[in-house]
Amino acid sequence: MTTTAFLQTRQSARIINGVHTEVLVTGFRDKILVLVTQYGKIGSLLHVTMQSQTMTTSDTLSSSSNNVNFLLGSHSPLYQLYATNFSTIISSENPNEGRSLLIGLALKVNKKNNNNNNDNIDDEFEFDKELFEQVELMVKECKVW
């Protein structure tokens, strides 16, 4: 009798900018769960619907933008950027991947020191390139697609 695993899980942990960071990726039949935490919590929860990609005549991938929905927590543009990046990583490594993503993000982000009363949320948080790149590498290491 042959048994097929229903899910596949990978995880990674490292210190990024002096903060312990963990990534857990689990592949289910219908979804891929990606958890990234520096707090030991799920944090903000996002759902990303993957759009199918097609090959163009020049052998490059063409895709429409993925649909990102915030389910719980902060509606941070930074978190939307992380979610979009994760879906781009997955679709570039496996263009036939059709499962949607459920993403939990709990990252320590630095607030900008804005003295002007600008209520634009896009300007509220600093972009930490080192954190972004390291998290991207960790997600790639935890490939289940």
Side-chain angles (χ1 to χ4, degrees), residues 38-104:
Q38 293 180 318
Y39 291 99
K41 301 177 180 179
I42 291 176
S44 295
L45 203 55
L46 298 90
H47 181 260
V48 181
T49 306
M50 303 284 284
Q51 301 295 321
S52 62
Q53 295 187 339
T54 57
M55 295 299 286
T56 64
T57 56
S58 61
D59 291 332
T60 58
L61 289 174
S62 170
S63 68
S64 55
S65 62
N66 295 318
N67 186 16
V68 178
N69 294 308
F70 287 86
L71 303 177
L72 183 69
S74 172
H75 285 69
S76 166
L78 276 177
Y79 282 0
Q80 183 167 359
L81 177 64
Y82 275 92
T84 302
N85 188 52
F86 296 162
S87 66
T88 301
I89 290 168
I90 293 168
S91 60
S92 68
E93 291 186 0
N94 183 0
N96 297 320
E97 182 59 69
R99 294 176 286 182
S100 62
L101 304 178
L102 188 58
I103 300 171

Side-chain angles (χ1 to χ4, degrees), residues 18-38:
V19 180
H20 180 78
T21 307
E22 294 189 37
V23 171
L24 174 80
V25 181
T26 302
F28 296 89
R29 279 192 183 165
D30 61 339
K31 292 191 181 9
I32 298 173
L33 173 67
V34 179
L35 300 177
V36 182
T37 185
Q38 293 180 318

